[in-house]
Amino acid sequence: MTWSVWGLKMLRTVCLFVIIGLAIAKHEVYEGYGLYKLSVKTTDQVELVNYLSKALDLDVWSHAIPGHDGQVLVPKDKKPLFQNELKAAGVEFQIESDNIKDILDLEDQLLSEAARKNNGSRLDSLPFDQIYTYHQVDTFLDMLAEAYPETVTLVNAGKSFEGRDIKYIKISSGDFETSTKPIVFLESLLHAREWITLPATLYAIHKLVIDVTEQDLIQDIDWIILPIANPDGYVHTHGEFRLWRKNRNTNLGVGCMGVDLNRNFDINWSEASSNIPCLDTYHGRGPFSEPETSIIKSVFDQYSDRIGLFLDIHSFGSMILYGYGNGVLPPNGLMVHLLGVRMAESIDAVKMSWNPNYVVGNVALVLYDASGSAGDYAQSVGVPYSYTYELPGHRFGIGGFGFFVDPAFIEQAGFETWEGTTTIALTRTHARLGSQEKDKGGYTPILKSYHSYKVYNIELKTVQQQEKIRILKSDLIDFWRFPNYKYGVMGQVMVPPSHFIWFDEKLEELGINRDVYIEDVYQYLSEVENRTSLSRNVGEEYYFDVNKYHRYDNILAYLRKLEQESVDSLSKVELVEYGVTAENRPLVYLRVGRGANDNNSPEKPIIVIESATNPRDWVTIPAALNIVENLLKESRFLENLEWIIIPVLNPDGYEYTHTNLRLWQKSRSTNSNMGHICPGVNINRNFDYDWQNFDASSSPCSHVYAGVEPFSEIESRMIQDIINKNAPRLKLYMSLQNNGGYISIPWYYEKAASGMFRQQYLLGLEMVKTMNNAYNLDVGSVIFDRMSGTSVDYVRSKAVLYTYNFDVVQRGNGVIIPEEDISDIVEDVWKATAVAAEEIIRLYSEELRILTAFPSPLPK
Ligand SMILES: [Zn+2]
């Protein structure tokens, strides 16, 4: 067909629509179509649904698999038969819309309202609450190339079947010719009706050209972005046929138009697609028979050796899929999968709470066999990482999801997809940098974390609220301070944007009010960081002030110096190197005592102080070191006792809070199946006591991940060894932490006090009384709710007399305690420790007295 004939036809069609449009509304072809949601439980049911969909030629929007509902569009006249078959097979279904035309009309209305509102605003500001037409995008790309000639090159790659220009842009901080720079290739709208995918590529363009916040992304990577891969189909969906999928090939006039472009690539072509032109998966007359796919092929021809990542963006279903479509995995399949998981997680962290988590997997295993796809083709020509995104359906007015676009969520779709894209793009390029610092310790996490996270104050008003508070606990909810009704302690909770609505709903359920304490945690932390200046030199002249924060190397140097200095003194300080951590840091503790033990007396009692288990609790390190300094000054505590002080139980995590994530809570070990993707174990959940039951997770990506098994981590094993080697001399064990001003007593794993409650409570009271700041005293599980696998529960179970969690009072915002507040806090810790030490000495002399009175061995 020539251009002029096509033009005439088009003109006639347009006129026709105008005339019809006056008489009746749009979308008449979908009148009475019903949208069905299907839940299948067995593979038999899957097969039945697939068979039925084929036999009735239904439009399958998403395939039902067990655990993942499907959506099928059913014409009016086929509804009774379809429903009967489903009922007979016991497939559960729900009619989401009995007339899809209503939703199409609503979508139209909302989008045109948004467009009206934006009318007059400049296209280059690109408001993200609108779906742009082919023409608007075309104009936008032209303008962009003109406005940003330094970074943007516009390529007119050829014409579509109906003669529209297919344009992509190249984005580069250089000239796009640096052969060592990897290329990321993004593409959307290969399927015409998947409108929400367009904002995903436009958002990427926006963040790479107009609003650049991450220089790495253009310094280290070149980009090719093709926003409208199927312009004819796309234009068609803006007319009467909103749900058109294919291109607009006339198929030699057989009566059905269009080729499924995502079945037309030359990879296993025609093996799992249709040869019937009327079907939605028609693969065309031959591989690359279509101009649209040939144009994409030419991009691969030109750059296949440099394209490190190809992302073909589709909708919908919340999936990240990879090849091959026949179920055969690429040779690097494991890495493809793991990085896909990493992408999915970064999206899940910011997605809308009502959308499901992303599913990651091989397309044939997750969905169905498919041949000739763009993603498979990319993989087959040597692109190491090739994925097909299926973006989520976004919440839509009256409950329809799927392909419909609600303007309120267009920006969200762009934003969250960009999270996934940048995650993998940076990971890949950093991995390419090989031995450089950036890549140290595996895959580099992204520093932009906590962006738009909020911290809320919440106050409990009733016991009932306290009892139900655990419904707020989730992997993504971070209690900076756990709220407590009994003691009037205000809670501070950090919530990611993805969970704002979820969080509000839960608070409403509990009847709790909140106010915003920190508007944007990222910004807050950047400001705090600017105020804190850590000294880094470890020279001879270096004066180590324990009332300041220090990096781990400096702390180690200080500890070594203490050991050296004790050589000529009565007090003995021994630095024990227990082993090395996952990131090769020495894991150490101090033994502090005086002289040799008198063989005629029972051995001296031992007190253990553990700190920086949760690495973001920085203040606990000065607290422990201050104890050491005081001990060295007051000889009676060393004459009668021996001390084991662990100033930094989790050095890897601690360093990580300096270099990457200030609020990190785990170690950095990688011994789980997902270790390289989600490193780290929460050490205070890794002890062998009621392991993994409460406030602990089996997911390596959770901040309360309990590890692959109890004592899987060297940090917890060190405590285990200390206990085993020194019991029964161990009389007091304190874990220093930072959560709200409490001295707490086991148990943590169950809502009951341990058998030593009375003694522990009385001594705890003495400790509380001696301190300047107000502390509360109670059973741990009462204060914090139940948690499993904690160090203190474990130690208590080993018959250590006194065991406490010592949560210091919080200043500043709690988690981040300003340096100027350290000395006041650590002085209190020392006072309480001294009171407890006195009690141990008293018990010890009592024991001595009894021994002297009965010199023979004590009766068993
Ligand atoms: Zn698609």
Side-chain angles (χ1 to χ4, degrees), residues 40-50 66:
V40 293
K41 293 199 181 59
T42 62
T43 45
D44 281 353
Q45 292 187 341
V46 172
E47 271 169 33
L48 174 102
V49 169
N50 287 346

Side-chain angles (χ1 to χ4, degrees), residues 27-275:
H27 308 129
E28 282 305 312
V29 287
Y30 301 110
E31 178 68 48
Y33 275 54
L35 184 61
Y36 287 71
K37 183 165 108 180
L38 310 179
S39 309
V40 293
K41 293 199 181 59
T42 62
T43 45
D44 281 353
Q45 292 187 341
V46 172
E47 271 169 33
L48 174 102
V49 169
N50 287 346
Y51 169 77
L52 210 54
S53 310
K54 264 193 196 130
L56 298 176
D57 186 21
L58 303 179
D59 184 358
V60 178
W61 284 16
S62 74
H63 285 256
I65 49 175
H68 201 275
D69 292 340
Q71 271 184 330
V72 179
L73 187 66
V74 186
K76 197 173 182 178
D77 56 323
K78 291 174 182 168
K79 282 177 183 171
L81 181 58
F82 183 65
Q83 285 182 203
N84 287 342
E85 292 293 329
L86 291 181
K87 280 179 193 153
V91 177
E92 275 178 43
F93 66 91
Q94 237 179 303
I95 301 176
E96 296 204 303
S97 166
D98 202 33
N99 185 5
I100 204 76
K101 181 180 174 302
D102 294 341
I103 297 184
L104 290 166
D105 290 342
L106 178 63
E107 182 192 48
D108 250 7
Q109 185 196 328
L110 292 177
L111 285 170
S112 39
E113 273 165 21
R116 246 197 317 281
K117 196 183 81 229
N118 292 335
N119 202 8
S121 65
R122 289 156 51 88
L123 190 57
D124 60 1
S125 70
L126 209 72
F128 278 101
D129 56 359
Q130 202 178 323
I131 291 295
Y132 296 97
T133 63
Y134 168 77
H135 265 298
Q136 286 172 316
V137 173
D138 196 54
T139 312
F140 169 69
L141 295 180
D142 287 343
M143 280 168 42
L144 196 73
E146 225 171 278
Y148 299 91
E150 300 290 310
T151 45
V152 176
T153 312
L154 181 65
V155 180
N156 191 341
K159 292 204 186 297
S160 67
F161 186 85
E162 289 180 345
R164 291 186 180 84
D165 288 334
I166 296 179
K167 293 181 185 172
Y168 62 82
I169 58 169
K170 298 195 288 190
I171 302 171
S172 176
S173 61
D175 55 5
F176 210 88
E177 298 303 325
T178 311
S179 61
T180 51
K181 247 177 141 181
I183 294 173
V184 175
F185 182 9
L186 299 185
E187 168 203 284
S188 56
L189 280 179
L190 198 56
H191 284 148
R193 63 188 177 184
E194 297 165 5
W195 284 8
I196 196 67
T197 66
L198 177 60
T201 42
L202 294 182
Y203 193 91
I205 293 173
H206 182 72
K207 293 302 292 177
L208 290 167
V209 178
I210 301 167
D211 175 30
V212 185
T213 47
E214 280 165 272
Q215 288 297 334
D216 280 13
L217 288 169
I218 49 172
Q219 291 308 322
D220 302 344
I221 305 169
D222 285 348
W223 298 75
I224 292 176
I225 304 188
L226 169 57
I228 304 180
N230 173 11
D232 301 345
Y234 184 56
V235 168
H236 195 57
T237 60
H238 282 268
E240 176 75 350
F241 295 88
R242 170 66 180 88
L243 298 171
W244 189 256
R245 164 183 165 108
K246 302 184 283 185
N247 76 348
R248 295 294 292 158
N249 191 323
T250 49
N251 294 335
L252 306 172
V254 295
C256 285
M257 288 170 79
V259 169
D260 183 349
L261 298 177
N262 209 27
R263 301 290 182 276
N264 187 242
F265 286 76
D266 190 8
I267 171 74
N268 304 324
W269 181 81
S270 84
E271 282 177 16
S273 50
S274 176
N275 58 1

Side-chain angles (χ1 to χ4, degrees), residues 811-825:
R811 297 289 176 73
N813 68 42
V815 176
I816 314 287
I817 293 180
E819 266 189 333
E820 56 267 28
D821 289 342
I822 294 177
S823 56
D824 182 50
I825 290 171

Side-chain angles (χ1 to χ4, degrees), residues 533-546 548-562 575 585-586 588 621 625 647-648 651 654-655 658 819:
S533 53
L534 293 169
S535 49
R536 280 149 204 270
N537 57 319
V538 199
E540 295 245 339
E541 304 303 311
Y542 180 68
Y543 168 68
F544 188 93
D545 182 351
V546 297
K548 292 234 178 318
Y549 297 127
H550 303 272
R551 297 291 291 268
Y552 190 58
D553 277 350
N554 282 0
I555 294 168
L556 279 179
Y558 166 74
L559 297 177
R560 290 199 183 99
K561 207 167 128 216
L562 285 182
L575 183 65
R585 294 191 178 86
V588 304
I621 299 171
L625 297 179
V648 187
Y654 178 64
E655 275 299 296
H658 284 283
E819 266 189 333

